Structures are given as C-alpha cells and as structure tokens.
Amino acid sequence: MELKGCIFDLDGVIVDTAKYHYLAWKRLAQELGFDFSEEQNEALKGVSRMASLEILLAAGGIKKSEDEKTILATRKNSWYVDYISRMTPEEILPGSIILLQNLRENGILTAIGSASKNAGMILDRIGLTKMFDAIVDGYKITRAKPDPEVFLRGAKELGLEPKYCIVFEDAVAGVEAALDAGMICVGIGDKNRLGKAHLVVSDLRGITIEQLTKL
Ligand code: G6P
Ligand code: MG
C-alpha cells in the first residue's frame, strides 16, 4: 500500500489505560454488590462509556433507569479521571515514541482515533499531544466502534483517503471499525482475538515503515 497516514487508538495501544478503566468499573460493580473479572472486562475494550455500563450491569443482572445510569457512569468516570490525572510520560507503551518520530520524519501523518472523552487529557498528561496531526476523541463522534466513524473522521482531518491509512488497534470492535472504514489494520495484542487484522503484533516495538508499506 501507499502509506500516507497512521491512525492510532489510544487506550491499549499508546498507553495502558485499560487497567484504570478496569479498576474503576470493578469498583462500581463492587458498590453495586457483584464482582467483575478481568476477563469480563475484555468486552469493554474500545466500547463507549455508556455501552460499557450496559455490559457491566447485564453481567451483574442489574436494571437501572436512564437517570441512574447517567449517575453511575459519571461516578465511574470521576474515579477513572482521578487515576489518569496522575499518569506520567513513563506510562507510554514501548515503541510508541520511536514509531511516531519515524513516521513524522518520513512525512507520514499521524492521528488519534479514540472513543474516549478523556483522550485529550491523557495525551496532555503523557506529553504526546504534539505528536499528532489530528485528534479524534469521544466528543467528535456519535457512533462508537465497531462503527467506522472515528477512523473515517481521522482520515478526513488528515485530508487523506481511507486507502492510504493504517489503523493500530487493540480492541476487536476497533479492528472491525478499521476494516469497515476500508483501511489496513495492525492489531496490537492477541492473535486469536484480533485475527481479522492484516497484521497482529504484541506491541509497537520494532515496527518499520517498510514493513507497513508491504501490507
Ligand atoms: C476507549 C476504551 C474504552 C472506554 C472508551 C470511552 O475506547 O477502550 O474502554 O470505555 O474509550 O472512554 P471514556 O474515557 O470516554 O469513558
Ligand atoms: Mg483500545
């Protein structure tokens, strides 16, 4: 492919915020009187805040009104924000900075495509805001992954057609969104889960532009 832009999911690709999301969801579950396992948490990766809450409540067999759901989601988010407000650049996942620098030095545009409404704050905390030509977060989209909206918006903000873009994703819903957007997708994580991606690696370490253009 002719590579002109790379769009990165944030949570689980550039930083491991999944652990903070999990801590906050688990705390909410415990308050509601049930346990929420790390395995159950897998289903929340890449999923929007409200959709995540629905999955959590279903796991606990609990029904809540729309108003109560808003309160619960807000409570979870305040714990989560408390965790991420203490993040430092040391939490940037291995290989991220080198890859971003390499892409930018070679004229390849970079973007964030995240469902999170906290993406801007996380990027500020870890000092990476300036490494991206476009940042698409949960405030800019109306349809969550697996809908391709977030990545199509990313390509648009970069001024690129989808076929020139590669998406980096750790969530099954995100891989589906990337493919649906007509983009090449690199899965970050487990091959068994992310098998639909064009390439699956365990992290961003050692990824070269030459390797990407062969996809
Ligand atoms: C990302 C994460 C999800 C999270 C979603 C919304 O996609 O992978 O786990 O639920 O963002 O994040 P927010 O920070 O807006 O609650
Ligand atoms: Mg993710």
Side-chain angles (χ1 to χ4, degrees):
M1 73 166 305
E2 193 183 340
L3 178 59
K4 295 186 180 178
C6 286
I7 307 178
F8 295 83
D9 171 50
L10 180 63
D11 296 312
V13 173
I14 303 285
V15 279
D16 182 18
T17 41
K19 66 182 178 212
Y20 300 124
H21 277 297
Y22 176 55
L23 283 176
W25 285 126
K26 192 179 164 70
R27 189 163 162 185
L28 187 67
Q30 273 162 355
E31 253 195 22
L32 293 167
F34 64 96
D35 199 33
F36 191 64
S37 71
E38 236 174 310
E39 203 185 325
Q40 286 173 304
N41 186 62
E42 280 299 313
L44 306 192
K45 287 190 177 169
V47 177
S48 73
R49 194 181 305 166
M50 290 315 283
S52 297
L53 177 65
E54 298 287 354
I55 296 170
L56 183 102
L57 292 175
I62 288 175
K63 286 205 162 56
K64 293 283 180 191
S65 70
E66 289 309 309
D67 285 352
E68 286 170 315
K69 282 180 198 169
T70 305
I71 293 168
L72 292 176
T74 304
R75 185 179 303 155
K76 179 267 171 181
N77 189 58
S78 67
W79 292 328
Y80 177 68
V81 167
D82 192 38
Y83 298 138
I84 60 172
S85 64
R86 280 174 260 163
M87 286 180 83
T88 68
E90 277 164 35
E91 290 180 65
I92 298 170
L93 289 173
S96 310
I97 295 178
I98 289 178
L99 177 60
L100 287 165
Q101 279 170 344
N102 192 11
L103 292 169
R104 295 174 69 82
E105 278 165 20
N106 285 280
I108 296 163
L109 299 174
T110 55
I112 284 288
S114 169
S116 174
K117 291 183 169 162
N118 295 300
M121 179 189 178
I122 295 167
L123 288 169
D124 277 349
R125 292 296 310 152
I126 60 173
L128 279 193
T129 309
K130 289 207 178 87
M131 294 294 265
F132 297 97
D133 300 294
I135 294 171
V136 180
D137 64 12
Y139 287 110
K140 289 190 178 173
I141 53 162
T142 52
R143 296 183 301 276
K145 300 168 188 176
D147 189 286
E149 184 185 14
V150 63
F151 297 132
L152 291 173
R153 171 82 187 243
K156 199 174 170 198
E157 289 202 11
L158 294 178
L160 298 175
E161 277 180 56
K163 65 176 177 186
Y164 298 123
C165 299
I166 294 187
V167 167
F168 294 81
E169 252 298 344
D170 72 313
V172 176
V175 171
E176 283 171 21
L179 299 182
D180 210 17
M183 300 178 184
I184 299 288
C185 186
V186 176
I188 309 294
D190 179 13
K191 263 202 180 99
N192 295 325
R193 265 192 336 114
L194 306 173
K196 281 191 194 163
H198 295 85
L199 168 73
V200 181
V201 291
S202 51
D203 56 42
L204 296 176
R205 267 179 292 196
I207 292 181
T208 63
I209 294 178
E210 194 192 6
Q211 179 188 13
L212 294 175
T213 49
K214 285 189 184 138
L215 295 173

